[in-house]
Amino acid sequence: PPRRGPLGGGGGGEIMREHYAEADNELHHLLIMESLGGDSEVFDRYLARAMAFVYYWYVVVVYSASRPAAYHLSELIEDHARTTYTRFLEEEGEALKGLPVPDVAREYYEGEDSMFRGGDVKLDSLYDVFEAVRDDEAQHWETLTG
């Protein structure tokens, strides 16, 4: 069963800190993707924002009805992300190994101020960036299922 938050009892403060760190981590994933050109098309930006808005409120409704269902939805999404990044690394690995690390990724993963990873990753190529993102998604999944 998922760990409970502050409204459900049991270690709420620590769990909330963990969720905030994961939210900061996801923000940095978004910043990395944007630095790679993921925000270059106006339509894509607005579609992503609209989907995020709808998804947020969907999760709020699901969480209000059933906390376990909302956590399970998050588990499924994190597992899908991990699997997708793994497949991407397998298919595009050689090309990624020849590409540079975006500055935002280097600052986040190799810097000491990261709430989530705290400078424990060494990045030599874009492959390493996507590997770190994939590992983050796996850690998020473990947080939800642990």
Side-chain angles (χ1 to χ4, degrees):
R3 293 186 245 170
R4 297 177 189 234
L7 299 177
E14 190 61 35
I15 291 168
M16 287 307 297
R17 277 189 283 284
E18 199 167 338
H19 286 319
Y20 286 133
E22 288 177 355
D24 181 67
N25 179 255
E26 293 292 359
L27 168 65
H28 281 84
H29 292 175
L30 177 61
L31 294 173
I32 291 166
M33 299 311 155
E34 287 179 350
S35 76
L36 295 171
D39 69 341
S40 60
E41 298 293 327
V42 173
F43 177 77
D44 292 344
R45 277 196 311 269
Y46 285 104
L47 178 63
R49 288 179 183 158
M51 290 175 63
F53 179 81
V54 170
Y55 173 74
Y56 172 81
W57 286 108
Y58 175 74
V59 172
V60 167
V61 169
V62 171
Y63 186 87
S64 297
S66 171
R67 186 173 325 153
Y71 271 89
H72 183 65
L73 176 61
S74 293
E75 289 171 22
L76 294 173
I77 290 169
E78 296 296 350
D79 188 48
H80 177 71
R82 177 185 58 177
T83 302
T84 301
Y85 281 117
T86 298
R87 190 173 333 122
F88 179 68
L89 287 166
E90 289 168 356
E91 294 171 2
E92 303 296 331
E94 288 309 310
L96 293 171
K97 288 177 182 176
L99 296 172
V101 175
D103 290 340
V104 66
R106 189 169 305 286
E107 290 166 13
Y108 178 66
Y109 283 111
E110 294 182 346
E112 293 298 321
D113 62 343
S114 169
M115 292 174 65
F116 194 69
R117 298 287 289 259
D120 69 344
V121 176
K122 175 73 174 120
L123 304 174
D124 293 319
S125 68
L126 194 54
Y127 181 90
D128 299 325
V129 173
F130 279 100
E131 194 173 50
V133 170
R134 188 261 332 262
D135 293 349
D136 291 346
E137 301 301 347
Q139 189 171 349
H140 298 175
W141 180 84
E142 289 173 12
T143 299
L144 290 164
T145 60

